[in-house]
Each structure stands twice: as C-alpha cells, then as structure tokens.
Amino acid sequence: MTARPSVHELWPDLPEPVRERLLAYGHKYWQQVYEDVALQNQDWIPLRSPVATHAAYAEMNRVTEVVSRLVLEACRRRARTAGELRRVLGVPDGRIQLLDESEPLTGRLINAIRSDLLLERGVPRMVECNVESALGGVLDADGVIQRWMDVYVDEPMFTAMGAAAPPSAIDARFDAIRADVGPGKTTAMLFTAGGGYPGADRPNYMINRLAPFADRGRELGVDLIVYPVEWVELDDQKRLKAGDRTLDAVWRMFVPPFVNDSPGMEAVRVANAAGTFQMYLPTAVWLLSNKAIFGWLWEDLDLLTEEDAEVVRATIPRTWVYGPELRQRAIDEREQLVLKPTDDYGGRGVFIGPLTSPEEWLTALDTADGPHIIQELIEADPLTMQFLKPETGDVVETDVSYCLATYLFDRIPAGVFSRFSPPGAGGVVNLTQGALTGGLLLVNDLEA
C-alpha cells in the first residue's frame, strides 16, 4: 500500500523561535481571538491553535470523504428508503421528527459531514461520522483560526512556513445550501432555544450575534434569516412565516430526535407534511450518523475494494453492535473498549472502559437503554497545549485529550474544528462537557 502522510500535531517539532513567537502572540491577543466564542468552560483559554501540515489536512479529508461514501453504501446494501433503514437500525417509529419514510437513500444525504478524528501514532482514527445539517462548531472553528491569522498576518517567520487557515467552512456550507435549495429562496436557519449552544436560550441575543453570519450568507446567494423554531408560524396556505417573511426553505439547525415540542415546531410539522418548503437537509440524514453503521463497515469488509477496506481497517476502530452474546467479552475486555449509544450525540451515555470501574461498567452494560455499540479504545496521541487562566494570569502547559473534526459540504473539504480538554480533565472531549475549541493552523512540511 502507498505510504500515507503522517497526521500529528506539530508543536513538539516546531523550531523553538517559532514556538516562542506563537505563545507571545497568544499572550498579547487571546482576548481578541476568543471574544464571544461559545465556550461552556471559561476558566482556561488556549494560547494557540493546534498545528498540522497541509499534507496532514489533505489526508484527514481523504479519510472523511471515503468513509462518508462507505457509510451511505453500507446503508444502501440494507435498505432502499429512510423508513427501511430506520427499521434495520432499530430506531423507534416517531423518534426522528419530520422523517419522510419514503425518502430514497441518495447521495444528497451525505451533503454535510463532520468526521471526529482521534490521532493515534500519526494515523487519523475516525470515532464518529456525523451526517447532519445541524453540524456544530463551524462558526467558532472558522472564527478562531481566522482571528489568529489576522494576528499573524505580518509575521515573516510564519509566512515563510506557509502558515494558513483551512478553507472557510462557513462559506462552503453556504455554497452547499445554495446549490441544494436553489437561488433566490428565502431560507431560515432555524435553531432551537432549547439547544445546548451557549446563548441559544436567549433568542434575540442569538439573532443579533449571528447577524454577520447571515450577512455573509446573503453575500454568497443565500437569503438567510436566523430564527428560533419556537417562533415560527403558519399562514393560511400552510406556509411557514418568520415574522413577516414567508419561507421557501429551512436550514435545519436542530437535531431531529432532540427538539422540544412547541407551537413553532408544530407549524414546521404541518408545513412539512404539506410540502410547502424545502428542508436542508431532510431528517433522514440523522439515520446515517447512527454508530451501528461502523459495525456494518467491519462486517462488509469482504464486499469492499481493497483500497476501501484498507481505509476501514486503518482508520475506523473495530466496532460491534452490542448484544447479550457480547456481554462476557465486553466485561473481560473492558479496559480496551468504549460503550456508546448508537443514536445519541454530544458525548451523552458514553462509557470509556479504563475510566469506568468494573461495577459501573457492568451496570452500564445491563441498563443500556436502546441499541449500543462497543468499540475498540483508541490510544490517542495527547495534545501538548498552553493554557491561560484569565482570572489569575497563570499559564499551564500540559498534555490533554483532543479531537479534530473535518467538514465536507457537498463533497468539498473546508474547515477544521479542534476540541481539547482543559487542564485536569480527560475522557470524552465535547463542548457540552467543558472542552475548549480552536481551529487548526496549517504549515508546510517542516523537512521541506
């Protein structure tokens, strides 16, 4: 097989003057860079973004593109429609709101992808392939790295290294939305006030905060309105109204199994049944995020080309759909396994074997509500990161857990969302559980 580029964080390999300069900029400009970034944890601020080569970024995108295609193909081997796939996956009827059970499993369903990658000895290992229109992190991933680049713009040392941000995930998503719903359509980005995004419980704050984002959408041909789903109404023709605007399309930024009932949500259901708007994307995409599909990919190895099979073996942790026949194995191999619900998100219900006591692990296995997987534990490379404690000015350098998320919109790679644990934490790396965020700084191969 052709040797693939190493994917690892470059901080330990950077020349000392470069590291010193990066941290100097971090100390001076961290407030500017992290202004209004959505962090649940405000106790620590990272002083830089993780660093990787342009070749490493290309390799992560290659893996993301191949796996997203294989996920769709695995589903199509087992089902023709969303309804058939729901039943095969064991997802209860009615759990996924707005689901059209007759929706065919076409390539449109992998229009928006975010892969969650852990790095293991320089190899990207994909622990989740998120397939959703409501992919999180785009705004802050773009914003943080672009503000760092604004700070670095006149630094010759960084220019000589080819320092750059990944292409804009914001712009790529708007391009994908415009291509999907068509030009000249009034489109609402519907978010839920009950969501976990910081500030979402204050709808007017969110509308104002995202006004520049909506302006950028209009520059790119998407007539965008930011609006809470709870406020949506119907007109007498069963068309959706956002204030005085009639909606042609909805960009769904709420997760279909986890949105609370409201008059606005009922209006969306009625209009959806009447077919009076186009949705980006149909809620059938949520089915393709189901973690059981990674188990299918391992089951289907003999059906894949050798090149595709090698991607599965090299990058996807060994995954099994959990059942009673695997109970003893899961008990015996606890320290090498992770237990996850197949149909949830945000790190909820995840148990990491070596961080869970035998008693808690056994309880988790025997009380698991709904389908679960057990997955090979990745021995992930740590991230050496420097953190500032704003309250005291203290700086700590420590090794933390981290995850890199690469985006594909309409098959086009754009943006990287990095998440890492704050000092003293570990385990699941998720913003709702206190993780911090940054973009990814790309540089040329250091040897070159």
Side-chain angles (χ1 to χ4, degrees), residues 12 48 105 126 141-142 161 165 173 197 208 249 318 333 401 403:
R48 63 179 181 88
L105 303 185
M126 189 184 297
D142 262 27
M161 298 176 64
R173 178 144 68 178
Y197 194 84
N208 291 330
R318 187 68 174 90
E333 299 179 12
S401 303
C403 174

Side-chain angles (χ1 to χ4, degrees), residues 80-151:
R80 296 168 299 168
T81 65
E84 290 178 7
L85 182 59
R86 178 188 62 76
R87 289 187 285 275
V88 171
L89 288 167
V91 175
D93 186 14
R95 174 168 170 76
I96 300 177
Q97 297 209 43
L98 311 174
L99 181 66
D100 177 0
E101 299 240 331
S102 67
E103 178 88 39
L105 303 185
T106 67
R108 183 182 179 223
L109 299 185
I110 54 172
N111 184 288
I113 303 291
R114 192 191 79 192
S115 65
D116 287 350
L117 304 170
L118 301 180
L119 306 185
E120 186 177 38
R121 293 181 289 277
V123 176
R125 305 296 305 277
M126 189 184 297
V127 290
E128 292 187 12
C129 183
N130 301 286
V131 187
E132 244 296 280
S133 63
L135 296 174
V138 171
L139 189 65
D140 291 327
D142 262 27
V144 168
I145 190 57
Q146 190 53 61
R147 286 193 286 272
W148 280 127
M149 294 308 302
D150 291 343
V151 166

Side-chain angles (χ1 to χ4, degrees), residues 290-332:
N290 193 290
K291 298 173 184 66
I293 298 169
F294 274 14
W296 293 354
L297 293 182
W298 277 93
E299 293 173 10
D300 293 354
L301 280 179
D302 291 344
L303 304 176
L304 307 182
T305 67
E306 183 52 39
E307 184 177 359
D308 287 345
E310 179 57 27
V311 170
V312 173
R313 286 190 290 263
T315 66
I316 295 181
R318 187 68 174 90
T319 304
W320 300 265
V321 178
Y322 181 69
E325 72 283 359
L326 292 173
R327 182 176 184 273
Q328 193 58 50
R329 179 176 190 170
I331 294 171
D332 294 342

Side-chain angles (χ1 to χ4, degrees), residues 170-347:
I170 290 175
D171 290 1
R173 178 144 68 178
F174 278 132
D175 288 343
I177 293 170
R178 186 186 64 250
D180 187 80
V181 306
K185 301 292 181 67
T186 301
T187 302
M189 189 195 89
L190 294 186
F191 67 92
T192 174
Y197 194 84
D201 59 336
R202 293 174 287 153
N204 283 318
Y205 161 80
M206 286 296 292
I207 291 169
N208 291 330
R209 181 175 186 267
L210 295 176
F213 178 71
D215 291 343
R216 181 58 178 162
R218 285 186 282 273
E219 290 173 6
L220 296 173
V222 178
D223 181 14
L224 189 69
I225 303 166
V226 178
Y227 211 71
V229 67
E230 290 81 2
W231 293 1
V232 172
E233 297 179 325
L234 283 175
D235 68 9
D236 56 6
Q237 298 179 55
K238 298 183 178 179
R239 298 179 303 180
L240 291 179
K241 301 281 288 189
D244 60 357
R245 300 288 300 278
T246 301
L247 302 181
D248 302 308
V250 163
W251 165 16
R252 183 180 49 76
M253 277 298 289
F254 54 85
V255 181
F258 303 101
V259 57
N260 294 328
D261 272 336
S262 65
M265 191 62 203
E266 177 60 23
V268 173
R269 281 193 286 265
V270 171
N272 184 62
T276 59
F277 71 92
Q278 183 165 341
M279 194 186 313
Y280 180 88
L281 288 162
T283 62
V285 299
W286 178 257
L287 293 165
L288 274 70
S289 288
N290 193 290
K291 298 173 184 66
I293 298 169
F294 274 14
W296 293 354
L297 293 182
W298 277 93
E299 293 173 10
D300 293 354
L301 280 179
D302 291 344
L303 304 176
L304 307 182
T305 67
E306 183 52 39
E307 184 177 359
D308 287 345
E310 179 57 27
V311 170
V312 173
R313 286 190 290 263
T315 66
I316 295 181
R318 187 68 174 90
T319 304
W320 300 265
V321 178
Y322 181 69
E325 72 283 359
L326 292 173
R327 182 176 184 273
Q328 193 58 50
R329 179 176 190 170
I331 294 171
D332 294 342
E333 299 179 12
R334 170 181 59 84
E335 294 198 353
Q336 290 80 47
L337 295 173
V338 180
L339 176 71
K340 299 179 180 181
T342 62
D343 187 31
D344 211 328
Y345 80 118

